[in-house]
Amino acid sequence: DPMADPWEKLREEKKGRVDKNVEARMRNAERSGVLDRGSANKFGKNANRLAKQRDIAKEKEAKRGLVAPVGVPLDVKAGQQRGKPSTQLALRATQVSTASLGKFDKQREG
C-alpha cells in the first residue's frame, strides 16, 4: 500500500508494548497487595474499549476525507492546485510533526 504510513504502524506497535507493560505492572501491584483485586482487568477492558473507539473514529475520518494524505499525491495533476481543505489538512499534519507541535505557528484566517 503506497499510502500506508510506516510511522503510524510503529506508533501502534509501541502503544501495544507500552499497554502490555502497564498491565503487567498493575498485575504485579495486585499480587503485592498495593492495588485492589480486579483493577488490572478493569484497566485492560477500558483500554480495549478506548482503542476500538479510536479505530472507529479514524475510519470515520478517513471516509470523510479528514486524514492528511501521506506519500505522493496521485490525484493531483501538473498545474493543478490541491484546494483549501487539502492544504488545511497538510498544515495540520505539519504543525503536529514539529517539536513545537505548532505552538509558534500562526493560523491565518480566510
Side-chain angles (χ1 to χ4, degrees), residues 24-98:
R25 212 175 325 136
M26 288 183 75
R27 289 194 191 284
N28 289 338
E30 273 183 12
R31 284 189 207 115
S32 66
V34 175
L35 290 178
D36 294 335
R37 295 279 178 195
S39 50
N41 287 337
K42 290 177 188 174
F43 174 78
K45 288 179 182 177
N46 192 29
N48 290 338
R49 186 177 54 80
L50 289 175
K52 285 180 186 176
Q53 287 178 347
R54 238 182 274 121
D55 292 341
I56 291 170
K58 280 184 185 179
E59 288 174 10
K60 284 183 180 178
E61 287 178 355
K63 285 180 184 176
R64 291 189 334 210
L66 298 176
V67 179
V70 179
V72 179
L74 301 175
D75 58 339
V76 178
K77 296 178 176 49
Q80 183 182 11
Q81 294 185 347
R82 286 181 181 233
K84 188 174 178 178
S86 295
T87 306
Q88 287 175 338
L89 286 171
L91 175 63
R92 197 175 316 139
T94 57
Q95 284 176 334
V96 297
S97 65
T98 61

